[in-house]
Amino acid sequence: MRRFLLPVLLVCSITASAQQLENDSLKLRQLATEVLTHSKAYEQLRVLTKQVGGRLAGSPQMAKAEQWGVKALKESGADTVYLQACQVPHWVRGAKEEVRIISRRRDFIPPLQVLALGNSVGSVPAGITAPVLEVSSFEELEAKKDQVKGKIVFYNYPFNPAFIHTFDSYGDAVRYRGRGASRAAKYGAVAIMIRSMTHGANNFPHTGAMAYNDSFPKIPAVALGLEDADLLSNRLKDESDLKIYLRTSCRMLPDTIGHNVIAEIKGTEHPEQIITVGGHLDSWDVNEGAHDDGTGCVQSIEILRAFKALGIRPKHTLRIVLFANEENGSRGGKKYAEVAKAANEQHIFALESDAGGFTPRGFSFTMPQEKREKIKSWAPLFLPYDVYDFSSEGGGVDVGELHEATGVAMGELLPDSQRYFDLHHAVNDVFSAVNKRELELGAFSMAALIYLVDKYGL
Ligand SMILES: [Zn+2]
């Protein structure tokens, strides 16, 4: 009889796993139907973007957004909702930036489309008038360092269009925004201008955070729209001694208090083990913070609502976090990580959505190989929803802080990236740029992944 044991067991285990696969597949179908037919995400996003609007850390709009978050989380069925205070930077843009080409040809050139970079100092009280040194890279800056003194350095480094995933183009170019000012100030530059971090076919300037190296003078920094970056570059070719008038009134005020907005459903079997899901509530001041990152917030909240609606009580404690300050300081993520670490909390997984509310393609992860293999074994369950990429490396900035502090396995929703940088940190990141179904499919994908991580552990 013994010789029959193995085949019988094998058949049993195949049947069991086939059964399991079918159960999970039915549960995911229920989740998808629930989200696609009853989601509150799009309406919640409408309120956040239209009634609160742009919400930079430290701004009155951000305080309003926190209240919005508390209400939305309570309505979605959380056991508890609370605020976690943290120090946040308080940068203000001030009056509209003004940047003009001063040409000896005296022809009319409209003011250039610019935005001051976040955290930048302003030029006030007076504007700055200076000649321009255009460089295409830090290497060229080093080669021309003797020509930098007294000039406005113009970093005209294009987004590389050859990358398929646009976050690679961003990762490649963003150093000019982040560190360009101090690199130029080191050699005596009086201000910098950068080509915006985009390959969008428009002239919208794209702001974003920069940081100073304290060893060098702090000089103003602005981003130019692409058409104006090209215009300036072309003018410089036959008028290299033209000047730029630049006036910005932005400034950094003392740190102030912001809050992570946190909601919990207590786990039924392992309440001490936590799964964190979130997005960042803050946004740039010049837009509605729709894709960045209103969509991540409402998708995270939707997981709670859908679980509640389907009677799913997670075994692990599920925590939804709307982070206080990602854009110009990551202080929300840092605070959350610091508190989690100090309390010795046991986190099993942290998921973020901060890459836009576009059609989901999969998830990026940073975790040990065996955990990734476990997640990959669920890939067939996602295929009916056109969600297939489980191989990319990544994780969001906010949960990245928790990963850094505790080593927790982390992931990020991976939406189609082709249109994200058309509007990232620019005036056109508004509610109408979000597609309801794409947003909901992202929310469903996150809910499905969280359901499986909760059911099987990680
Ligand atoms: Zn973001």
Side-chain angles (χ1 to χ4, degrees):
M1 287 307 286
R2 195 177 161 77
R3 69 204 151 98
F4 292 112
L5 200 57
L6 188 62
V8 168
L9 274 178
L10 206 62
V11 168
C12 284
S13 86
I14 288 169
T15 315
S17 72
Q19 188 58 48
Q20 212 164 51
L21 189 69
E22 189 171 337
N23 290 345
D24 289 338
S25 147
L26 284 172
K27 188 55 83 178
L28 261 57
R29 184 58 256 186
Q30 280 179 7
L31 273 169
T33 303
E34 176 58 34
V35 173
L36 291 170
T37 54
H38 297 118
S39 169
K40 294 271 194 305
Y42 191 66
E43 275 316 303
Q44 284 169 340
L45 185 67
R46 184 198 302 276
V47 176
L48 178 64
T49 53
K50 292 297 176 191
Q51 291 179 20
V52 179
R55 45 200 183 275
L56 198 53
S59 67
Q61 292 89 337
M62 187 58 195
K64 226 174 139 185
E66 290 171 2
Q67 292 315 307
W68 167 90
V70 168
K71 185 164 176 278
L73 285 162
K74 280 187 179 159
E75 286 171 0
S76 298
D79 295 342
T80 47
V81 181
Y82 59 96
L83 298 176
Q84 182 178 65
C86 62
Q87 294 265 324
V88 293
H90 189 190
W91 181 81
V92 291
R93 185 172 301 278
K96 175 90 195 90
E97 302 85 343
E98 186 182 350
V99 174
R100 290 178 178 278
I101 293 177
I102 302 172
S103 166
R104 64 183 140 74
R105 288 189 216 153
R106 296 185 182 280
D107 55 341
F108 176 75
I109 310 167
L112 303 183
Q113 293 297 308
V114 301
L115 282 174
L117 295 183
N119 302 338
S120 167
V121 297
S123 71
V124 287
I128 293 168
T129 303
V132 181
L133 177 69
E134 177 180 345
V135 296
S136 61
S137 64
F138 284 140
E139 292 70 34
E140 190 178 352
L141 177 78
E142 294 301 319
K144 293 182 174 168
K145 62 185 179 192
D146 297 339
Q147 302 169 42
V148 172
K149 197 168 169 23
K151 300 225 175 87
I152 296 173
V153 168
F154 169 34
Y155 291 103
N156 196 12
Y157 184 85
F159 240 43
N160 185 340
F163 287 115
I164 302 305
H165 299 115
T166 61
F167 281 88
D168 293 336
S169 315
Y170 184 62
D172 173 57
V174 77
R175 60 190 184 271
Y176 295 99
R177 188 187 81 201
R179 306 198 302 269
S182 290
R183 291 281 296 254
K186 181 179 173 187
Y187 301 123
V190 292
I192 67 153
M193 300 186 294
I194 63 162
R195 184 181 181 87
S196 282
M197 303 287 118
T198 178
H199 30 41
N202 57 51
N203 198 27
F204 297 131
H206 296 237
T207 187
M210 56 85 68
Y212 291 110
N213 175 335
D214 289 335
S215 310
F216 308 109
K218 293 182 177 178
I219 59 173
V222 302
L224 289 180
L226 296 199
E227 288 170 13
D228 283 346
D230 290 339
L231 172 96
L232 176 61
S233 183
N234 286 333
R235 291 292 288 225
L236 283 165
K237 283 185 180 65
D238 50 46
E239 194 183 344
S240 61
D241 60 344
L242 66 74
K243 288 185 176 161
I244 286 284
Y245 170 76
L246 179 151
R247 188 174 192 279
T248 57
S249 339
C250 46
R251 61 194 194 281
M252 188 64 91
L253 302 171
D255 280 0
T256 181
I257 300 292
H259 300 89
N260 291 325
V261 184
I262 304 176
E264 261 185 32
I265 301 186
K266 266 265 172 290
T268 52
E269 284 178 31
H270 310 288
E272 76 292 353
Q273 295 181 14
I274 299 160
I275 299 172
T276 290
V277 188
H280 65 85
L281 191 52
D282 66 314
S283 80
W284 285 102
D285 53 334
V286 294
N287 57 34
E288 294 175 359
H291 280 285
D292 190 12
D293 182 23
T295 52
C297 292
V298 298
Q299 286 171 327
S300 302
I301 297 170
E302 177 63 16
I303 300 172
L304 273 189
R305 195 207 60 79
F307 276 20
K308 191 88 176 179
L310 295 177
I312 299 170
R313 271 314 288 196
K315 296 196 274 188
H316 306 81
T317 291
L318 179 57
R319 226 187 245 167
I320 307 297
V321 185
L322 312 180
F323 292 96
N325 164 232
E326 189 270 346
E327 292 297 359
N328 64 335
S330 307
R331 304 270 192 91
K334 282 194 174 82
K335 185 59 169 191
Y336 184 73
E338 180 193 310
V339 171
K341 194 171 182 186
N344 217 2
E345 285 179 353
Q346 217 185 316
H347 288 256
I348 67 163
F349 183 49
L351 178 67
E352 184 162 345
S353 168
D354 184 20
F358 300 100
T359 303
R361 303 292 196 204
F363 295 90
S364 58
F365 296 110
T366 301
M367 58 178 61
Q369 196 54 32
E370 73 275 9
K371 291 185 197 286
R372 187 187 282 271
E373 290 306 324
K374 188 167 185 177
I375 288 180
K376 275 187 173 172
S377 74
W378 305 328
L381 291 164
F382 287 85
L383 270 183
Y385 308 95
D386 296 340
V387 171
Y388 51 82
D389 185 349
F390 294 86
S391 299
S392 298
E393 275 298 315
V397 169
D398 286 300
V399 300
E401 299 288 348
L402 186 67
H403 170 78
E404 196 72 20
T406 66
V408 67
M410 67 167 175
E412 185 174 25
L413 182 69
L414 198 68
D416 183 282
S417 71
Q418 299 312 321
R419 285 174 289 146
Y420 188 55
F421 290 97
D422 291 0
L423 48 77
H424 180 246
H425 300 177
V427 290
N428 53 336
D429 182 9
V430 291
F431 178 69
S432 59
V434 177
N435 175 284
K436 184 171 183 284
R437 283 185 64 80
E438 293 180 1
L439 171 75
E440 290 169 353
L441 285 166
F444 152 70
S445 304
M446 293 168 72
L449 180 64
I450 294 303
Y451 173 78
L452 293 167
V453 169
D454 179 63
K455 183 170 176 186
Y456 297 110
L458 198 59

